[in-house]
Amino acid sequence: MIRFEPVIALAQIFITQQIASLFGATGTVILLKNIFNQGSQTLVNIIFAVVLTLGLFVTASVYLKGNNIAENTQHLATEYISTYKLLNELNNYLIEQERFLNATLTLENSRDEKVTNQAVFQKPNKVIDTLVINLGDNPSLKIVVNNLKELNRVNSQLLGYIEKKDANKQLTAEYLNTISKIRIATKQELQSLIDFVDLKVGNSKNEILTGVSNVKLFVLLYGIATFIISYVIVKAIAIFKANNVDTQRLSLFPSRNPNPVFSLDHQNNVTYANPACGLLLKRLSLPVGQTHLLVDNNIKFYQDEIMADVDTQSTSFEYQINQLFFQCNLYSLEDRKEWDIHLTDITARKAVEKELSYRASHDPETGLKNRYELEKTVADLCQSSQEFSFGLLEIRSFSQLLTGQGLTAASTVMNEVADVIREIICGFNVLECSVYHLGEKSFALISKQNANKGQIYSLVREIEEKVSNTSFYCHYEVRLDYGFSCFPAHGNDYSSLHKSALAALDKSASSEDKRHIVFNPELGERLRYQQQLIEDMRLAISNANFELYFQPQLDLRTGKVTGAEVLIRWQRNAEWMSPAEFIPLAEKAGLIDILGDWILHTSCQKARNLVDLGLEDLVIAVNISPLQFGRKDFLAKVQHVLEDTGLPSKNLELEITEGVIIYNEQETIATLESLKKLGVKLAIDDFGTGYSSLSYLKKFNIDKLKIDQSFVRNIQHENADQSIVRTIIELGRNLSLTLIAEGVEEQEQLNILKSMGCDEIQGYFFSRPLPEQEFIEFVQQQRGSY
């Protein structure tokens, strides 16, 4: 039995390639989906059947036409041509009979010749017999036969009459006339028969020629069909060979795949395993050939998932074998009732993910969990309604350590403190604590118990004792501040608990009293007051409810007012707020930038008013916060304010603290040089209170040093203060700097400073801070007295 499936498959491949060449890859995909995926097998079967039927039809037609031509040719040769000859022969006999009669009538022939010639009349009988056989029951032939019989009868009578001696010529003529009529009639019928035979011969000829033409056409079509079929078969074989190579290559893919590939039957028995499976078994120190040991224990679960979802034929999951991690791709082969499993070693990726996860949740230096983990832990504990304690720890004066010893020293000390806290926490099992690193100087503690004050104080004492007995890098003396809050008494989420602990931390740091390390209602009231103060400050900034006061500065040599320091004042609820109270809050709340910009712009406006009043030589000093100075647009902002207000730059002095110029030294130098190019004067405020090196004084282009009031307050009583102030003044003179002392309140203080060579003073002894109009009147009056 002939099998058409291979031929059909080859035809499908060939048709696919031809369609691809016509429609392109995209068109081919769409077209093949419509053809091969929707009744393609039936269509190809029909095409193949048509081609096969065409071949059989051509073969049968050629065979039948050949037989027909042969029959027509044989019939023409054996029947019509012989008949045509017999008719001509019969016609010749009639002519011969006519010649015989003419000879007889002349009486020139001898008797023997007459007898011989009489045999002529007998010859047509044999021809007639053959024609009857060939032509059958033909009307014309019947007439001819009858005429010949009549002609023979009359001829016989004529011949008998002629032999008589007394023959009558008239009667002979009548006989001849009769014979002539019969012969003419016979010739007419013979001509009809000849025409009939000619027609038959012509028809046969046409049929033969038509048959030959059809045979030629069928042979041509058959040749074309044979060529097409041969071409298709040759192309299909070529494609089959090419696809066979691809198939062989694909069949080699699993065996050459470096990743393990194996198959399971419906009972999860291993039916195939590539060589990589054996290598993996060796790597895992498992018996070679035991590929089933690589199958995940939960494989049935994933197989059921695939079987339950009709739209899913595969799934992917991860699992571990000994120390290695794998990604498993599971494929369902429904037609074979098997499962294919492809394993990919993701151990390295897992290690990277673990490292990234660790880095995302831990501080890279101390190895402690970071703020993200702290917030997550607090959120989980709050969600579970479990009571717990939240603590903050902070290294005191860390910024001074950073500026004085540098980043490396500060980082080392911070790591050492982290080790101390970790060690204490690990040994202090009562509170079930965990420690977190929040920033360069801040740590947090979480106790999964709602610790009482006694337990918290006990923990703090242990930490303090350990810190005091530890020798830190650079022999730095570490001091820690603490603040604790409890859930739910002091807050119900991370934000509120952090605020409460931060309030306790600030109180502890400011009071030097560890009794305030746990949040209490008083601290809560203070926190709420500060929050309200911040909100009121926001409103006051937007409504410009602040005022600027001017504290005059006196030149000790000339006795004239040389300028004034601008001081901000805020009247809240009919009460004056101290800058020492709201400025730190503004810094914490992120309002100092906006407030500082307002102070700078307003100060320049008022300074311009002084210049317009004829006080061109007054210099107005404005304090610049570290945050404000550290902004990248600070220089541009100063330039814009000067241009906007029209204030000459020589009338503006910017006061910065020592801490400002220590950070980002190169950027600070560039900013100060740019300010000097604008013509702005620069002063260092609260000089002597910092811990930075004095070498910066020769690096930065400074105009003035302001001696902090803490050294002036007891200068008449404390020799140490006198020595410090004298040293600062001498240093300033050597660097050609102007010296001004703050907080001068007594005559004796003024005399001492003047004797030391101090250039200027400011303080209540000379004048308290004055509103703008009073300051103008004070300067005008003071200058009018000279």
Side-chain angles (χ1 to χ4, degrees):
M1 182 177 180
I2 299 176
R3 295 180 59 86
F4 297 106
E5 289 81 357
V7 181
I8 293 172
L10 292 175
Q12 287 180 338
I13 296 173
F14 173 72
I15 293 171
T16 300
Q17 290 196 347
Q18 298 304 316
I19 292 175
S21 66
L22 292 175
F23 298 100
T26 305
T28 301
V29 172
I30 299 174
L31 192 58
L32 291 181
K33 283 184 178 180
N34 294 331
I35 294 178
F36 290 124
N37 292 338
Q38 297 180 5
S40 62
Q41 192 67 32
T42 302
L43 180 60
V44 173
N45 288 340
I46 292 174
I47 294 174
F48 183 79
V50 169
V51 173
L52 183 61
T53 302
L54 178 62
L56 294 176
F57 173 75
V58 170
T59 302
S61 297
V62 170
Y63 176 76
L64 294 176
K65 287 295 181 181
N67 285 340
N68 190 23
I69 292 171
E71 290 177 0
N72 288 335
T73 303
Q74 183 180 4
H75 192 65
L76 179 64
T78 59
E79 181 177 347
Y80 296 128
I81 294 178
S82 62
T83 302
Y84 186 79
K85 290 180 178 181
L86 290 174
L87 290 173
N88 286 327
E89 184 178 347
L90 183 60
N91 189 47
N92 292 333
Y93 287 159
L94 292 177
I95 294 173
E96 186 178 355
Q97 286 180 356
E98 183 177 0
R99 184 183 61 80
F100 172 75
L101 291 176
N102 290 330
T104 302
L105 291 176
T106 59
L107 300 177
E108 295 177 354
N109 297 330
S110 63
R111 181 176 178 85
D112 293 335
E113 289 177 348
K114 294 179 179 180
V115 173
T116 301
N117 289 331
Q118 287 180 354
V120 174
F121 293 98
Q122 302 299 324
K123 290 180 180 180
N125 294 332
K126 296 179 180 180
V127 175
I128 290 298
D129 292 338
T130 304
L131 289 175
V132 170
I133 295 173
N134 291 341
L135 298 178
D137 190 14
N138 189 289
S140 295
L141 183 59
K142 288 181 179 181
I143 295 173
V144 170
V145 170
N146 293 331
N147 288 343
L148 287 176
K149 288 180 180 181
E150 183 64 23
L151 187 60
N152 287 335
R153 185 183 65 78
V154 175
N155 283 336
S156 297
Q157 290 179 357
L158 177 61
L159 290 175
Y161 180 73
I162 291 174
E163 290 178 352
K164 294 179 179 182
K165 300 295 187 179
D166 55 354
N168 189 338
K169 291 184 178 182
Q170 183 177 359
L171 182 59
T172 302
E174 290 178 358
Y175 275 111
L176 290 175
N177 185 38
T178 301
I179 290 172
S180 179
K181 290 180 179 180
I182 295 173
R183 189 170 57 249
I184 291 172
T186 301
K187 284 184 176 182
Q188 291 178 350
E189 295 301 326
L190 283 176
Q191 188 61 44
S192 297
L193 288 174
I194 290 173
D195 293 340
F196 172 75
V197 173
D198 284 340
L199 179 62
K200 287 291 187 180
V201 171
N203 290 339
S204 295
K205 178 183 178 181
N206 292 335
E207 288 183 3
I208 291 172
L209 293 176
T210 302
V212 171
S213 299
N214 290 337
V215 168
K216 289 180 180 179
L217 178 61
F218 289 147
V219 170
L220 178 62
L221 293 176
Y222 186 74
I224 294 174
T226 303
F227 173 77
I228 293 175
I229 294 173
S230 300
Y231 176 76
V232 170
I233 293 175
V234 170
K235 293 291 289 186
I237 291 174
I239 295 170
F240 174 77
K241 288 182 178 180
N243 288 337
N244 191 40
V245 172
D246 293 340
T247 302
Q248 290 178 351
R249 184 179 301 169
L250 290 175
S251 65
L252 292 175
F253 174 75
S255 61
R256 296 183 179 179
N257 194 334
N259 294 324
V261 177
F262 55 93
S263 300
L264 304 177
D265 60 15
H266 63 283
Q267 295 180 346
N268 286 338
N269 297 317
V270 177
T271 58
Y272 168 79
N274 71 343
C277 293
L279 297 177
L280 178 59
L281 290 171
K282 290 182 180 180
R283 183 182 174 191
L284 293 170
S285 301
L286 297 175
V288 177
Q290 303 298 316
T291 309
H292 65 276
L293 297 176
L294 302 178
V295 181
D296 182 36
N297 295 331
N298 298 321
I299 190 68
K300 190 66 171 60
F301 169 78
Y302 298 107
Q303 290 173 338
D304 291 341
E305 276 191 343
I306 294 176
M307 298 299 293
D309 190 349
V310 294
D311 297 327
T312 301
Q313 298 297 322
S314 64
T315 189
S316 179
F317 57 91
E318 298 176 0
Y319 68 99
Q320 183 177 359
I321 306 176
N322 294 346
Q323 74 277 14
L324 301 182
F325 292 87
F326 295 91
Q327 176 177 302
C328 176
N329 293 320
L330 178 64
Y331 302 93
S332 172
L333 306 179
E334 293 185 3
D335 55 335
R336 301 184 61 178
K337 305 298 182 183
E338 288 186 345
W339 302 88
D340 265 4
I341 293 179
H342 295 210
L343 297 183
T344 303
D345 188 349
I346 58 172
T347 306
R349 190 188 79 189
K350 281 292 185 180
V352 173
E353 290 178 353
K354 184 178 180 180
E355 177 66 19
L356 292 176
S357 176
Y358 179 84
R359 292 185 180 183
S361 58
H362 291 75
D363 181 80
E365 293 190 67
T366 63
L368 297 175
K369 292 182 179 180
N370 57 18
R371 182 184 299 272
Y372 170 77
E373 287 296 311
L374 173 65
E375 294 181 5
K376 181 180 177 182
T377 301
V378 171
D380 292 342
L381 291 174
C382 292
Q383 187 69 26
S384 65
S385 299
Q386 176 183 349
E387 293 185 354
F388 64 93
S389 299
F390 179 92
L392 294 176
L393 287 75
E394 191 171 276
I395 302 175
R396 182 178 296 186
S397 303
F398 187 79
S399 60
Q400 295 177 356
L401 169 64
L402 186 63
T403 56
Q405 300 297 332
L407 181 61
T408 301
S411 178
T412 303
V413 171
M414 180 266 296
N415 286 326
E416 292 174 342
V417 172
D419 292 337
V420 169
I421 297 175
R422 184 191 292 110
E423 181 180 350
I424 295 298
I425 293 302
C426 291
F428 199 85
N429 298 323
V430 177
L431 297 180
E432 299 182 26
C433 288
S434 54
V435 60
Y436 303 82
H437 188 191
L438 304 185
E440 59 181 9
K441 64 176 181 178
S442 302
F443 302 88
L445 298 177
I446 292 294
S447 171
K448 294 185 179 180
Q449 298 181 6
N450 190 8
N452 55 45
K453 289 185 178 181
Q455 292 173 321
I456 291 176
Y457 293 153
S458 177
L459 175 61
V460 170
R461 280 195 302 270
E462 288 200 25
I463 295 176
E464 290 281 287
E465 183 177 354
K466 181 66 176 178
V467 168
S468 63
N469 294 329
T470 300
S471 177
F472 294 97
Y473 185 75
C474 296
H475 303 288
Y476 181 74
E477 183 179 353
V478 174
R479 298 187 63 183
L480 298 178
D481 294 315
Y482 306 84
F484 286 85
S485 60
C486 300
F487 174 85
H490 304 147
N492 55 8
D493 56 17
Y494 174 82
S495 179
S496 57
L497 289 170
H498 183 269
K499 286 182 180 179
S500 298
L502 190 60
L505 177 68
D506 290 343
K507 182 64 176 178
S508 175
S510 60
S511 66
E512 299 286 341
D513 188 354
K514 296 297 187 292
R515 292 178 300 174
H516 299 290
I517 61 177
V518 180
F519 184 82
N520 55 52
E522 291 78 12
L523 288 177
E525 289 296 330
R526 177 64 180 171
L527 181 61
R528 283 188 289 272
Y529 169 76
Q530 291 178 346
Q531 290 175 340
Q532 185 60 51
L533 194 62
I534 291 172
E535 294 301 321
D536 293 346
M537 197 185 314
R538 294 182 193 276
L539 185 61
I541 292 174
S542 65
N543 295 334
N545 292 337
F546 293 95
E547 295 183 38
L548 294 183
Y549 275 51
F550 298 82
Q551 186 166 31
Q553 297 174 336
L554 177 68
D555 189 326
L556 295 179
R557 289 169 296 184
T558 63
K560 292 183 179 181
V561 176
T562 58
E565 178 183 1
V566 175
L567 301 175
I568 189 170
R569 294 292 184 264
W570 179 26
Q571 191 174 27
R572 173 178 178 268
N573 299 330
E575 294 183 0
W576 288 101
M577 300 291 299
S578 170
E581 183 174 9
F582 66 81
I583 291 297
L585 284 180
E587 292 177 346
K588 289 183 179 181
L591 301 176
I592 194 63
D593 284 345
I594 302 175
L595 186 59
D597 291 344
W598 180 85
I599 293 174
L600 178 61
H601 193 276
T602 306
S603 299
C604 290
Q605 281 183 331
K606 295 185 180 299
R608 175 65 189 183
N609 294 336
L610 295 174
V611 173
D612 293 340
L613 292 174
L615 304 175
E616 302 92 353
D617 58 342
L618 287 182
V619 177
I620 302 302
V622 181
N623 284 283
I624 303 299
S625 72
L627 294 176
Q628 189 179 10
F629 184 85
R631 293 191 319 191
K632 293 183 178 180
D633 63 341
F634 175 71
L635 177 63
K637 191 173 289 293
V638 173
Q639 186 174 5
H640 173 71
V641 169
L642 290 175
E643 294 174 353
D644 186 49
T645 60
L647 177 68
S649 57
K650 67 183 182 65
N651 296 102
L652 176 63
E653 181 177 272
L654 301 179
E655 295 184 359
I656 56 177
T657 61
E658 292 178 272
V660 169
I661 61 178
I662 297 305
Y663 298 108
N664 299 321
E665 182 174 304
Q666 296 301 322
E667 294 182 8
T668 302
I669 292 176
T671 302
L672 293 176
E673 289 180 350
S674 298
L675 289 172
K676 289 296 294 182
K677 289 180 180 179
L678 290 177
V680 174
K681 299 183 181 300
L682 300 173
I684 296 180
D685 194 16
D686 301 333
F687 183 78
T689 59
Y691 291 86
S692 58
S693 172
L694 297 179
S695 62
Y696 70 83
L697 289 178
K698 67 179 182 180
K699 297 179 181 179
F700 302 115
N701 195 356
I702 303 299
D703 297 295
K704 182 184 293 186
L705 292 180
K706 299 191 71 174
I707 304 172
D708 188 68
Q709 61 181 340
S710 62
F711 301 119
V712 177
R713 185 178 302 116
N714 297 314
I715 193 173
Q716 69 273 31
H717 307 297
E718 297 288 343
N719 293 330
D721 289 341
Q722 291 184 18
S723 298
I724 292 174
V725 172
R726 184 178 293 107
T727 300
I728 295 174
I729 293 175
E730 290 178 357
L731 176 65
R733 285 191 175 278
N734 291 333
L735 296 175
S736 300
L737 301 178
T738 301
L739 280 301
I740 181 171
E742 298 179 290
V744 177
E745 298 180 355
E746 299 178 9
Q747 181 67 48
E748 189 176 357
Q749 296 171 346
L750 173 62
N751 294 335
I752 295 174
L753 290 170
K754 190 173 184 179
S755 66
M756 291 181 178
C758 185
D759 299 307
E760 299 176 357
I761 65 168
Q762 71 179 58
Y764 275 53
F765 175 77
F766 176 59
S767 174
R768 61 180 177 81
L770 301 172
E772 180 182 11
Q773 188 59 38
E774 292 185 19
F775 172 70
I776 294 173
E777 294 174 357
F778 177 82
V779 174
Q780 291 175 340
Q781 182 181 0
Q782 194 264 353
R783 291 194 173 186
S785 63
Y786 286 91

